[in-house]
Amino acid sequence: MKLINDNFDDYFESGAPQSEKAPHQETEEEREERELIETTIERRSNKKRIFLIIGTLVVLLLLIFLVRDRYFHVYNQSNVKGRIIDIGLKGSVFETYEGKLMSYDVQAPNSVVKQEFEFSVSDDSIAHTLGRLKQTPIAVQLEYNEYKSSVPWRGNSRYVVTKIDTVDIAAYSSSIKDDTLPVTPTDSTKK
């Protein structure tokens, strides 16, 4: 007795259907056509695989170039003169030496502009030397590499100091007339 009417003969009750036809014999033309289709599909899948590999390599090389250019390529090499204000070890995961330098820029004969220059130091010996020079009134010249972006293990700044030199304090002081910005004289005759 059937509980569900599914309109299908039960395979197990009536027995397996008997095929009265003999299996189909493939002709020579059908076999050639089947082989042609199989090899065409195989060639297409090989071409797709090759294009996928080449495309992946191109994207990977482009990504490597962009990361190298952004984070590891030295964008500019320059130097700056001034006095060390602060140098210290900072950071929680990657501890790096970070410092500040007060530089003076003479823009006109009677105009001096103070600028603060923040930098990172990757070499411990340079950082210790800068720490000793912070205690003294000696002016220094820092040579640094500038990157387009910073990475945590190199420091927080894009400017990484590579070399320090002391500057002749007399020549440096004579180029800077005053430590403050000059006040432009006003004409007292105007009322």
Side-chain angles (χ1 to χ4, degrees):
M1 177 174 174
K2 284 187 172 180
L3 297 176
I4 301 174
N5 185 7
D6 55 7
N7 294 330
F8 293 107
D9 292 332
D10 194 359
Y11 181 80
F12 296 106
E13 288 180 6
S14 65
Q18 297 294 325
S19 174
E20 296 179 10
K21 294 182 181 179
H24 175 69
Q25 291 293 324
E26 189 175 50
T27 64
E28 185 67 29
E29 292 173 353
E30 290 174 337
R31 186 184 61 77
E32 287 177 3
E33 186 176 334
R34 180 182 51 80
E35 288 176 356
L36 180 65
I37 290 171
E38 287 174 357
T39 56
T40 304
I41 291 173
E42 189 175 307
R43 270 191 256 132
R44 285 184 190 158
S45 66
N46 285 342
K47 283 183 182 179
K48 285 182 184 178
R49 190 176 301 133
I50 290 171
F51 283 131
L52 183 65
I53 290 171
I54 291 173
T56 303
L57 287 176
V58 167
V59 168
L60 186 64
L61 289 175
L62 183 64
L63 184 66
I64 288 171
F65 173 76
L66 292 175
V67 166
R68 181 195 164 277
D69 183 55
R70 184 83 180 158
Y71 295 104
F72 300 104
H73 176 69
V74 176
Y75 178 66
N76 183 20
Q77 291 181 335
S78 188
N79 58 37
V80 63
K81 293 179 185 176
R83 293 186 178 162
I84 300 297
I85 298 172
D86 185 29
I87 183 84
L89 191 62
K90 297 181 183 170
S92 55
V93 176
F94 297 103
E95 292 184 345
T96 57
Y97 288 97
E98 305 294 325
K100 291 181 184 175
L101 175 108
M102 183 60 69
S103 68
Y104 300 91
D105 187 19
V106 180
Q107 294 184 349
N110 292 328
S111 175
V112 176
V113 177
K114 291 198 296 188
Q115 294 178 340
E116 208 172 85
F117 178 74
E118 294 185 6
F119 58 90
S120 297
V121 180
S122 58
D123 188 10
D124 290 340
S125 64
I126 292 175
H128 293 303
T129 304
L130 289 174
R132 285 194 310 269
L133 290 174
K134 180 179 91 168
Q135 311 282 329
T136 64
I138 297 175
V140 295
Q141 176 175 328
L142 301 178
E143 292 183 18
Y144 62 89
N145 291 336
E146 180 182 355
Y147 298 91
K148 290 183 181 177
S149 294
S150 63
V151 289
W153 56 86
R154 191 172 51 214
N156 294 334
S157 175
R158 298 179 323 158
Y159 308 102
V160 178
V161 173
T162 57
K163 185 179 175 187
I164 57 171
D165 289 326
T166 56
V167 178
D168 182 19
I169 196 70
Y172 184 68
S173 296
S174 68
S175 69
I176 302 168
K177 307 280 189 277
D178 197 345
D179 279 353
T180 61
L181 289 173
V183 177
T184 308
T186 58
D187 193 1
S188 60
T189 58
K190 291 183 181 178
K191 293 184 182 180

